[in-house]
Amino acid sequence: MTSDAPIGVFDSGVGGISVIRQLRHDMPSERFLFFGDSANAPYGEKTPERVCELSFAIVERLRERGVKAVVIACNTATSAAAKQLREHYDMPIIGMEPALKVACDRGHGTPQRVIVAATPLTLHEHKFAALVDRFKAEHTIHAQPCPDLVTLLEHGRLGNHEAVMATLHGYFDRYDLDDIDSVVLGCTHFIFFRDYFRELLPDRIAIVDGNPGTSHHLREVLAERDALAHADVTGGVELSNSDTSMRMTTLARSLLDR
């Protein structure tokens, strides 16, 4: 591992660009190679075995580019494949999980009422069940699958206010939001909808995501290995996608530049 090697980042589609934005902000000297698998999106409705297969193919692609670490910028792929990837590769594999701990810790000892919004596969995997088990004795946790948000972003409909708000109301009108303390955005696609969530939710409800924690963890891992890029180096982002259409290229660039 050398400090000037790039960092690989991948997602089931373009949602992981929200992670790239955080990483680029926190580590401007690093070079990032992002791969979105939009041709196979959404991962959240596939079997764990298929998601694992797709993840291995992507990480092998990134390994061939000489990356020094890989960030799985996808909660679903982390749930399905992170353990197996770490067993197979000797480079750091940084995964993600819904930031439930952050949401529960906000109460400073007071029980919290939390909605975790994520993909169906993330919410049904053992990894999420184990995470909930750590907190459910003291906190009230609602798991809310929101697969249509992934589809809206992948189809370039982020700016369609009517469609997005109708989708959110379809998922969240079942809750008494006056009885909720926070909503966890447990899919990297959902972070691009933060302003819509803010419009939907009462001001007192916090909106939490795992991107800052993932970035912090990556920086710590690289620092331990003396593999951080030198501060005087100019970093950058290279975007690629299994959907090679001009529409997807334009969408990915627009999300990076938001």
Side-chain angles (χ1 to χ4, degrees):
M1 184 189 300
T2 60
S3 63
D4 60 349
I7 297 165
V9 183
F10 80 91
D11 179 40
S12 63
V14 294
I17 294 174
S18 69
V19 181
I20 282 284
R21 287 163 52 90
Q22 183 78 51
L23 296 174
R24 182 177 63 174
H25 176 270
D26 295 345
M27 291 175 277
S29 297
E30 299 289 351
R31 290 189 298 127
F32 299 99
L33 306 180
F34 176 79
F35 184 83
D37 194 15
S38 293
N40 290 300
Y43 279 13
E45 298 176 46
K46 289 180 165 51
T47 65
E49 294 76 17
R50 179 57 176 155
V51 172
C52 194
E53 177 186 351
L54 292 167
S55 298
F56 264 89
I58 295 168
V59 173
E60 187 59 24
R61 175 192 181 110
L62 294 170
R63 185 196 65 80
E64 292 173 356
R65 295 288 305 277
V67 297
K68 62 187 177 184
V70 170
V71 177
I72 309 174
C74 176
N75 290 269
T76 300
T78 298
S79 297
K83 181 177 183 293
Q84 296 92 320
L85 288 168
R86 289 172 182 142
E87 291 171 350
H88 186 78
Y89 292 98
D90 59 5
M91 62 180 162
I93 305 288
I94 309 299
M96 303 191 71
E97 67 179 16
L100 182 56
K101 182 179 186 303
V102 176
C104 291
D105 286 351
R106 289 185 65 256
H108 303 290
T110 301
Q112 296 293 287
R113 299 152 300 181
V114 182
I115 300 173
V116 179
T119 68
L121 181 54
T122 294
L123 297 176
H124 286 103
E125 273 290 276
H126 171 75
K127 192 173 188 293
F128 180 71
L131 178 65
V132 170
D133 283 345
R134 292 167 51 193
F135 300 100
K136 66 181 183 181
E138 297 180 7
H139 307 280
T140 302
I141 302 164
H142 305 279
Q144 177 58 55
C146 304
D148 289 345
L149 291 181
V150 175
T151 304
L152 285 169
L153 187 65
E154 291 290 325
H155 289 181
R157 301 182 69 194
L158 179 62
N160 189 327
H161 183 273
E162 182 179 357
V164 173
M165 292 307 296
T167 300
L168 289 178
H169 278 291
Y171 290 137
F172 290 90
D173 282 358
R174 70 195 66 185
Y175 298 100
D176 178 2
L177 294 177
D178 290 330
D179 196 42
I180 298 296
D181 295 301
S182 60
V183 171
V184 175
L185 305 183
C187 171
T188 56
H189 284 73
F190 298 176
I191 295 166
F192 285 109
F193 295 94
R194 179 181 286 272
D195 289 346
Y196 290 105
F197 275 94
R198 188 70 284 160
E199 180 179 341
L200 175 79
L201 302 172
D203 289 343
R204 59 172 294 279
I205 296 180
I207 302 171
V208 180
D209 71 77
N211 285 6
T214 299
S215 179
H216 178 74
H217 181 44
L218 173 64
R219 185 180 185 87
E220 283 188 329
V221 168
L222 293 178
E224 288 172 0
R225 291 162 172 76
D226 196 26
L228 286 169
H230 297 292
D232 58 352
V233 172
T234 300
V237 177
E238 177 185 318
L239 299 175
S240 59
N241 199 293
S242 57
D243 179 344
T244 59
S245 67
M246 182 56 67
R247 182 194 74 82
M248 186 56 65
T249 299
T250 301
L251 174 61
R253 176 54 60 179
S254 70
L255 292 174
L256 182 65
D257 295 338
R258 282 179 67 85

